[in-house]
């Protein structure tokens, strides 16, 4: 498929397009669009989180982990990124590494941690 389609339009139009593909469970296509948006605006948490989710759902777990760690480097109290990082690590068979992230995410959301 031609890359021009993914680069076409304003950042807002591409964001909307990426969300539509994500909602349609076309995670690889959503990720392809989101990669460009994240490269242009690396400080935007929402785009990076949706990219991490697209990677997670398409079983690109190391890429999801990289994006989630980038979010947490900028904002260590980003609850959803913390939860997703824990789940991503669990899915990679790294439960010991995942546990502190999941406990912290639960504490931040007010869930019981036992």
């Amino acid at each position: 498929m031609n890359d021009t389609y993914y680069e076409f339009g304003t950042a807002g139009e591409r964001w909307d397009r990426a969300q539509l593909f994500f909602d349609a469970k076309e995670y690889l296509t959503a990720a392809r669009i989101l990669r460009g948006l994240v490269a242009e605006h690396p400080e935007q948490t929402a785009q990076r989180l949706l990219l991490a989710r697209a990677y997670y759902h398409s079983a690109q777990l190391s890429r999801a982990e990289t994006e989630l760690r980038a979010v947490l480097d900028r904002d260590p109290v980003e609850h959803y990124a913390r939860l997703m990082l824990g789940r991503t690590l669990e899915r990679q068979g790294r439960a010991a590494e995942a546990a502190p992230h999941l406990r912290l995410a639960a504490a931040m959301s007010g869930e019981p941690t036992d």
Side-chain angles (χ1 to χ4, degrees):
M1 197 178 282
N2 190 343
D3 284 340
T4 308
Y5 172 78
Y6 299 103
E7 298 167 359
F8 179 77
T10 66
E13 291 167 339
R14 288 179 286 145
W15 168 247
D16 290 342
R17 190 177 311 125
Q19 288 179 306
L20 288 171
F21 278 108
F22 185 89
D23 291 343
K25 299 184 179 178
E26 293 289 336
Y27 303 118
L28 294 174
T29 304
R32 193 168 183 180
I33 297 165
L34 290 162
R35 275 194 302 269
L37 287 171
V38 167
E40 289 174 31
H41 306 283
E43 73 287 349
Q44 298 266 333
T45 300
Q47 294 172 2
R48 198 174 286 272
L49 278 175
L50 191 59
L51 177 57
R53 290 177 63 201
Y55 283 148
Y56 179 87
H57 288 296
S58 61
Q60 298 179 67
L61 301 177
S62 63
R63 287 182 173 183
E65 179 182 351
T66 298
E67 295 303 326
L68 293 165
R69 289 190 188 278
V71 168
L72 291 170
D73 283 347
R74 293 182 59 84
D75 186 2
V77 295
E78 169 53 57
H79 162 263
Y80 190 67
R82 185 75 57 190
L83 175 64
M84 275 198 64
L85 179 57
R87 289 185 177 166
T88 299
L89 293 169
E90 274 185 333
R91 196 166 164 198
Q92 293 178 75
R94 297 160 57 191
E97 283 181 73
H101 295 288
L102 294 172
R103 279 194 303 273
L104 192 52
M108 285 191 270
S109 71
E111 294 177 20
T113 58
D114 33 292

